[in-house]
Amino acid sequence: MDVEIRSIWIMLDNKVKAFFEGSDITSYRYFGAHVSKNGVDFRVYAPHAKSIALVGTFNDWDGEANPMKKDKHGIWEAHVKNAKLGDSYKYRIHQATDEIVDKMDPYAFYSELRPNTASIVADLTYNKWTDDKWMAQRNKGFDSPVNIYEMHAGSWKKETDDPQEFVKYKDIENDLIAHCKKHHFTHVEMMPLCEYPFDGSWGYQCTGYFSSTSRYGTNQELMHFVNALHKAGIGIIMDFVPVHFVKDNYALAKFDGTPLYEYTKDEDAHSEWGTYNFNLWKEEVRSFLMSAANFWIDVYHFDGLRMDAISNAIFWQGNKNNGVNEGACDFMKRMNFELNKAHDGKIMLIAEDSTDFPNVTKSTLDNGLGFDYKWDLGWMNDTLDYCKKDPIYRQWHHYDVTFSMAYFYSEKFINVFSHDEVVHGKATIVDKMWGSYEDKFSQARAVYTYMFTHPGKKLNFMGNEIGQLREWDETKSCDWFLLEYPMHDAFNHMFQDLGKLYVENDAFWKDDYNPCSFEWVNADDTQHNMFSYLRKGTKKDYLIILNFSTNPYAKQQFGVGISGEYKEVLNTQWAKYNGNLPSDTAQKCQAVRLSRNGKPFMIQCDVPSLGATVFEVEKL
């Protein structure tokens, strides 16, 4: 046997071995459609199929023209000489049930726009990457500012409300970079970009796990988009869905006539969303999903993944009473370990998990699940529930606000106001607040001050920064016209100032997960609906005071840890934020050596009603 051919054979054999062992994170290099010198090579895994034929534009969809051959592993293969880039194709599968079904390629790199469902032979080469420096320097951000802008690409900025018209990456690229810079967002998190059939699922009900959706542009246009963000110093994270997939007959469901990707038992297979749950115990499925996760990081240079619905993987059907799904947990540990290993531990792996399951962000080497961050949904729910209440009753719910710090150091949390909080009748963040139009904005400004000064990284969904009052609709653009109104323009201005305060001062992000960086001043002032705490940095400390009462309080005393002059750097009731206080009257308070709140020094200041104020002091 020729030496070169033998080496290729050994490489492919090892690739197949890794796939069946559930340790392959690059199976897309073997399966799918790959252009060669004289045609295209196709490979698909369907062990129980009776026969498979390739049908496509290259053979006028003739099921007799290009039959595939099956090897001992259940992998079908064919070389089609006249196939080329851009050709549409499907696998015509004679299933184990004797049905004949045309299926999309599970490893397709591109697909037709819905309602069409064929896979497309695509080229993943891109010779215009200029982000080597970014890729070398990127990291998990534990001791860096991480301020994430979550967005739905198709509805960020649209010219019309026509659901058949889609925004393209190239149309929003420059505006998005400018927007992120202006608001001090360090990362963009894109809602799922894998191919999906139903617009209303927002990408959370996927078909093509290796196929970038055709809605917003080509493969190369997505790469250009990522490269442009990196060139501007902005990271990009993708929402990834490793738990469930659509039941559409042309996709993964009963792929070869048997439950190849889903669980065998119906009670395990069917999800609460009307989809199928992936069988995360099965090694071939593990290799498929691990490879899909790695694909976006490897090929498209994404800086991390936010994993959706992890609660439904940890527990059977997402229900703690059903017990822990040990196989799914083992899968997540393996996936996170392998992804970190492949990318030198520089990528972000984020879990959306609403449970109290322990050690989600603990290293896999210490028997944790191996995620880097976890969304703090408890903080989000408690904070917003508190702010919905009439201030008269808040004194009896005071500790809903302080409770987050009782568990904060158990995981590495991200404070989130995500897309989930502004849809399905829940009302937007501003609209959730108690009271009149003016009261809602006053409290929202205080809430955002709390968010940006609370320990943990940050995430906000698009529209939050302008105080949008209409719930998000994936068919419509954000209501950018609101910036013509003083209240929304002022809110946006404050949001920018908070972002600047956050990213430029290490008190709010360095040693974020070290208890020494945060200290309550007074967590128990239930009578005044007031909270005060310190954030400690290398050069400056900050005193943050929140007042969720309708009463302003004059000459209030607060304990502080160090002496010096405390300067008010932000007050949410300043006129420039559409508040009721002059913007040019920042308070300056000299600390005196009088013990208050268990601290050696004390300052005295005025506290605005339904507002927040932030003081800074330079360390000597």
Side-chain angles (χ1 to χ4, degrees):
M1 181 183 293
D2 183 89
V3 173
E4 184 178 354
I5 294 175
R6 179 175 172 79
S7 65
I8 293 172
W9 179 83
I10 292 172
M11 180 185 71
L12 292 178
D13 194 55
N14 287 337
K15 171 64 68 178
V16 171
K17 184 172 180 287
F19 176 75
F20 287 103
E21 289 177 346
S23 60
D24 191 2
I25 65 169
T26 58
S27 58
Y28 48 88
R29 297 178 186 173
Y30 181 73
F31 292 103
H34 296 271
V35 178
S36 61
K37 291 182 180 179
N38 58 345
V40 178
D41 295 314
F42 296 86
R43 294 188 190 92
V44 64
Y45 177 61
H48 303 289
K50 294 183 177 181
S51 67
I52 301 181
L54 268 165
V55 294
T57 52
F58 45 78
N59 62 16
D60 293 326
W61 305 91
D62 180 1
E64 304 295 326
N66 296 107
M68 302 184 79
K69 293 182 179 180
K70 179 183 179 182
D71 70 8
K72 62 182 180 180
H73 303 291
I75 298 171
W76 299 77
E77 185 172 4
H79 176 78
V80 182
K81 288 185 178 181
N82 60 325
K84 62 186 184 302
L85 287 174
D87 280 346
S88 299
Y89 70 98
K90 283 191 176 185
Y91 298 117
R92 183 158 294 168
I93 302 177
H94 186 176
Q95 296 182 317
T97 56
D98 276 333
E99 289 186 75
I100 296 177
V101 182
D102 286 356
K103 292 279 193 177
M104 53 151 272
D105 186 349
Y107 286 87
F109 300 142
Y110 203 60
S111 305
E112 291 182 326
L113 178 64
R114 58 95 181 109
N116 297 323
T117 58
S119 302
I120 297 175
V121 179
D123 183 10
L124 293 179
T125 58
Y126 185 69
N127 299 319
K128 298 180 181 179
W129 289 114
T130 58
D131 62 350
D132 289 353
K133 184 177 179 180
W134 170 271
M135 297 290 281
Q137 294 180 351
R138 69 181 181 179
N139 58 71
K140 294 182 181 296
F142 292 144
D143 287 320
S144 305
V146 175
N147 188 18
I148 302 171
Y149 189 53
E150 185 193 26
M151 64 177 293
H152 177 259
S155 59
W156 184 62
K157 281 190 176 181
K158 288 187 68 174
E159 296 297 325
T160 72
D161 290 341
D162 183 353
Q164 304 307 315
E165 292 184 13
F166 293 103
V167 171
K168 302 300 182 183
Y169 299 117
K170 59 185 179 182
D171 296 333
I172 63 172
E173 186 178 283
N174 292 333
D175 283 352
L176 178 61
I177 289 171
H179 189 77
C180 289
K181 290 290 188 181
K182 186 176 183 181
H183 291 82
H184 306 278
F185 290 114
T186 62
H187 294 75
V188 171
E189 181 176 304
M190 307 294 291
M191 292 173 74
L193 297 178
C194 297
E195 194 56 83
Y196 58 101
F198 174 47
D199 294 348
S201 79
W202 313 327
Y204 290 101
Q205 296 184 3
C206 304
T207 51
Y209 274 76
F210 298 84
S211 181
S212 64
T213 179
S214 54
R215 288 167 172 80
Y216 312 130
T218 66
N219 306 80
Q220 282 71 30
E221 286 170 341
L222 175 55
M223 293 173 188
H224 187 281
F225 180 73
V226 173
N227 191 65
L229 287 171
H230 285 174
K231 190 175 180 180
I234 300 167
I236 180 166
I237 299 162
M238 194 179 83
D239 215 331
F240 184 67
V241 189
V243 178
H244 63 116
F245 61 93
V246 298
K247 291 182 178 180
D248 297 56
N249 198 38
Y250 72 89
L252 298 178
K254 301 292 195 306
F255 191 77
D256 60 4
T258 69
L260 191 62
Y261 291 91
E262 60 269 42
Y263 286 104
T264 303
K265 295 180 180 179
D266 278 351
E267 60 266 33
D268 299 330
H270 298 285
S271 82
E272 63 183 271
W273 302 286
T275 52
Y276 278 131
N277 289 317
F278 276 110
N279 183 352
L280 300 177
W281 290 68
K282 196 172 184 178
E283 302 296 3
E284 299 89 338
V285 173
R286 291 174 172 180
S287 286
F288 173 82
L289 286 171
M290 286 164 52
S291 294
N294 183 57
F295 176 78
W296 299 95
I297 301 167
D298 175 29
V299 176
Y300 286 96
H301 291 201
F302 278 85
D303 300 296
L305 301 171
R306 176 265 191 187
M307 308 282 189
D308 181 62
I310 291 303
S311 309
N312 288 64
I314 292 174
F315 299 108
W316 289 100
Q317 297 292 357
N319 188 338
K320 189 174 182 179
N321 294 328
N322 292 338
V324 174
N325 185 335
E326 298 289 354
C329 289
D330 288 344
F331 157 73
M332 288 184 284
K333 292 175 185 179
R334 187 184 302 177
M335 175 179 64
N336 291 336
F337 176 84
E338 293 293 345
L339 290 175
N340 274 311
K341 180 180 175 182
H343 300 283
D344 300 321
K346 293 183 176 182
I347 54 170
M348 292 184 182
L349 300 172
I350 304 167
E352 185 216 13
D353 171 31
S354 58
T355 73
D356 60 357
F357 186 78
N359 302 325
V360 171
T361 59
K362 196 173 183 179
S363 168
T364 56
L365 300 177
D366 295 321
N367 204 34
L369 290 187
F371 290 98
D372 300 308
Y373 297 104
K374 172 179 172 174
W375 278 16
D376 196 345
L377 300 176
W379 172 87
M380 176 273 299
N381 280 314
D382 291 342
T383 300
L384 296 179
D385 284 348
Y386 175 86
C387 289
K388 292 174 185 176
K389 293 177 171 62
D390 189 309
I392 294 173
Y393 305 110
R394 287 175 179 170
Q395 61 182 309
W396 291 290
H397 300 274
H398 189 85
Y399 297 106
D400 289 354
V401 176
T402 61
F403 180 62
S404 64
M405 291 311 300
Y407 63 79
F408 178 79
Y409 300 106
S410 64
E411 303 279 5
K412 292 184 176 67
F413 284 109
I414 298 178
N415 307 134
V416 296
F417 288 146
S418 74
H419 68 276
D420 281 327
E421 308 319 311
V422 297
V423 291
H424 301 324
K426 297 178 184 176
T428 61
I429 303 302
V430 170
D431 203 23
K432 283 178 168 69
M433 304 293 113
W434 165 89
S436 66
Y437 176 72
E438 290 77 11
D439 289 336
K440 287 178 182 291
F441 274 90
S442 293
Q443 290 163 100
R445 294 194 296 266
V447 164
Y448 271 105
T449 303
Y450 177 45
M451 180 189 209
F452 276 95
T453 59
H454 188 287
K457 309 309 178 184
K458 321 299 173 191
L459 179 143
N460 270 283
F461 186 58
M462 63 183 197
N464 289 1
E465 72 273 29
I466 60 174
Q468 187 159 310
L469 294 170
R470 176 185 59 83
E471 288 190 343
W472 172 54
D473 179 343
E474 77 278 357
T475 67
K476 298 178 180 178
S477 179
C478 289
D479 291 341
W480 300 111
F481 66 86
L482 290 174
L483 292 175
E484 299 173 13
Y485 295 85
M487 186 69 82
H488 294 269
D489 182 61
F491 185 84
N492 181 244
H493 181 37
M494 188 211 67
F495 198 101
Q496 294 172 36
D497 287 352
L498 277 173
K500 187 173 189 291
L501 178 71
Y502 168 70
V503 301
E504 291 185 355
N505 296 282
D506 66 6
F508 300 115
W509 43 261
K510 188 176 178 61
D511 292 327
D512 224 1
Y513 303 100
N514 183 339
C516 295
S517 70
F518 173 92
E519 187 177 351
W520 284 112
V521 172
N522 190 347
D524 303 313
D525 193 356
T526 59
Q527 182 180 357
H528 297 102
N529 295 348
M530 202 182 308
F531 309 84
S532 52
Y533 50 92
L534 298 168
R535 295 303 310 272
K536 302 174 183 179
T538 55
K539 296 181 179 179
K540 297 177 182 178
D541 281 0
Y542 289 84
L543 170 67
I544 298 93
I545 305 165
L546 311 172
N547 177 16
F548 289 104
S549 165
T550 54
N551 301 314
Y553 298 109
K555 298 181 179 180
Q556 293 295 295
Q557 297 179 351
F558 299 92
V560 292
I562 59 176
S563 63
E565 184 179 62
Y566 284 72
K567 300 176 183 178
E568 190 176 39
V569 294
L570 187 142
N571 188 314
T572 60
Q573 288 290 24
W574 280 340
K576 66 178 181 178
Y577 304 138
N578 228 19
N580 52 22
L581 298 173
S583 297
D584 59 353
T585 56
Q587 302 176 78
K588 294 182 179 179
C589 309
Q590 185 65 43
V592 297
R593 188 175 287 277
L594 287 175
S595 178
R596 291 291 184 276
N597 307 116
K599 310 292 188 296
F601 300 94
M602 178 270 287
I603 69 165
Q604 184 171 278
C605 66
D606 298 335
V607 181
S609 61
L610 294 179
T613 182
V614 179
F615 289 86
E616 74 174 19
V617 61
E618 294 190 14
K619 293 183 174 180
L620 300 178

